[in-house]
Amino acid sequence: MMTEKTEDTDPSTETPPVDTSHISPIERRNSLEKHLQNRPDPQDLKDKHILLDTNAAPSLQATAQDLQRQRATDSLKKGLEKRPEREELVERNILPDSTAAPAIQRQQRELQKHMRADSLEQKIAQRPKPEELIKEGILEGE
C-alpha cells in the first residue's frame, strides 16, 4: 500500500526565487554611481543622529561617548546628593503633606479648602452677638 505524503506549504513563507542573471560591470558601475548621487550628506546624517557629530577619530568616538555619558551620570549623582529630603520640602511648604496619589491631590486640596470654609462659616454663625458680649462685660457698651 502506498501512503500519500501531503505537504502543508504556506505561500507567504516561501522564499522568493533568487535572481541569477548576470549584471554587466557597466550596469553595476552605473547603479553604484546612481546610489552614491542619492546618498545623504554627512551633516544630514549627523542631524538625524545616525553619525556622531564629533571631530574625534572613529576609533576614539565610542570612548568619547562613554566619557560624556559618565560625566552626565556624575553630574546627576552630585545634583541628587544635594537634593533636599522630602520632609524638608514639606516643612518649607514646597511639597504638600499628602499621601494621596498625585492625580487626586488637586481634588484633595479643594476639598480641604471647602471644609475650612464650611468650618469658619459654622463658627461665625455660632459666635455670640455684640449685645451678649456687652451683657457679660466682655465688650464695653457705647
Side-chain angles (χ1 to χ4, degrees), residues 120-139:
L120 285 174
E121 285 177 16
Q122 184 182 17
K123 289 178 181 179
I124 289 173
Q126 292 178 355
R127 79 178 183 181
K129 305 254 186 273
E131 297 84 28
E132 293 175 21
L133 295 174
I134 292 172
K135 190 191 268 185
E136 292 179 14
I138 298 174
L139 278 181

Side-chain angles (χ1 to χ4, degrees), residues 41-61:
D41 292 22
Q43 188 58 45
D44 290 340
L45 295 175
K46 288 176 183 178
D47 293 343
K48 294 178 183 178
H49 301 290
I50 296 171
L51 282 179
L52 294 177
D53 192 12
T54 179
N55 294 332
S59 61
L60 298 175
Q61 287 179 354

Side-chain angles (χ1 to χ4, degrees), residues 24-90:
S24 72
I26 294 173
E27 288 176 348
R28 184 171 294 165
R29 187 173 358 118
N30 290 341
S31 173
L32 180 61
E33 286 176 4
K34 184 173 85 173
H35 281 74
L36 286 175
Q37 286 175 353
N38 294 331
R39 185 177 186 180
D41 292 22
Q43 188 58 45
D44 290 340
L45 295 175
K46 288 176 183 178
D47 293 343
K48 294 178 183 178
H49 301 290
I50 296 171
L51 282 179
L52 294 177
D53 192 12
T54 179
N55 294 332
S59 61
L60 298 175
Q61 287 179 354
T63 307
Q65 190 174 14
D66 288 343
L67 179 62
Q68 188 175 14
R69 184 174 286 126
Q70 189 62 41
R71 282 183 180 165
T73 301
D74 292 344
S75 175
L76 284 173
K77 282 182 182 177
K78 285 179 185 175
L80 288 175
E81 288 172 0
K82 293 178 183 178
R83 183 179 184 178
E85 294 294 323
R86 183 183 191 285
E87 293 80 24
E88 182 183 343
L89 295 175
V90 169

